[in-house]
Amino acid sequence: IQHHGKPYPGEHAAILVPGTWERVQTLMAQGLAVTRGRARNKHLALLGGLLYCESCATRMVYTYAMKNGRKYPYYLCLNVQRKGWAACPTKSLPARAIEESVLGRIREGQPGIFEPAVWEQLDRARQVQAIQAIVERIGYDGTARQVSIRFRATAKPETQV
């Protein structure tokens, strides 16, 4: 045991095998990084952290509007959120439209977990994990109305939708 930089003998035998403490601390630190990431994606946005506005090269963030008790989710250019509606030509896009477009493109080249029958059986957290496991970045060009998907190196090369 160390106290103020000076080592003192312990009062009992070690509980853990040498090295176990360090390995657990490393695993816990990795787990905290995942937990923190999920905390930022508290709404479990399917494309959270992956979607970027190509017009101004910033992230697009998930948000929603409420009207008559109904939730209308969409992704908003971060520049628009921070600087105002005139800051970017892309502005926003409905969450369902972009998510379905991305899923459709993935299904073309990645059968299996992304098939509708299997996909619908997954809870939202597992869906988010599945997307993030194979997609590195999604770009949306609002002026050309085009979506580009860059898959992780182990998945598939970049494609355009």
Side-chain angles (χ1 to χ4, degrees), residues 19 23 28 31 42 45 51 69 96 111 115 118 139 146 152 159:
R23 285 193 303 276
M28 287 175 57
K42 68 180 179 179
L51 185 60
R96 174 175 239 146
E115 293 302 319
V118 176
Q146 283 193 326
R152 296 199 182 278
T159 61

Side-chain angles (χ1 to χ4, degrees), residues 41-99:
N41 193 0
K42 68 180 179 179
H43 299 290
L44 292 173
L46 192 60
L47 308 180
L50 299 173
L51 185 60
Y52 287 81
C53 172
E54 298 291 3
S55 299
C56 59
T58 60
R59 279 186 313 116
M60 293 189 79
V61 294
Y62 177 90
T63 190
Y64 61 91
M66 294 288 290
K67 184 173 182 181
N68 297 328
R70 184 169 172 186
K71 189 175 181 181
Y72 294 90
Y74 59 98
Y75 289 91
L76 180 68
C77 172
L78 200 54
N79 271 338
V80 168
Q81 186 182 48
R82 290 180 177 164
K83 300 175 184 174
W85 206 245
C88 177
T90 296
K91 306 205 186 332
S92 68
L93 69 154
R96 174 175 239 146
I98 186 67
E99 291 171 356

Side-chain angles (χ1 to χ4, degrees), residues 105-106 108-110 134 149-159:
R105 187 66 185 134
I106 291 171
E108 289 175 12
Q110 305 279 332
I134 68 162
I149 303 171
R150 184 168 61 217
F151 291 94
R152 296 199 182 278
T154 57
K156 197 170 174 66
E158 187 166 321
T159 61

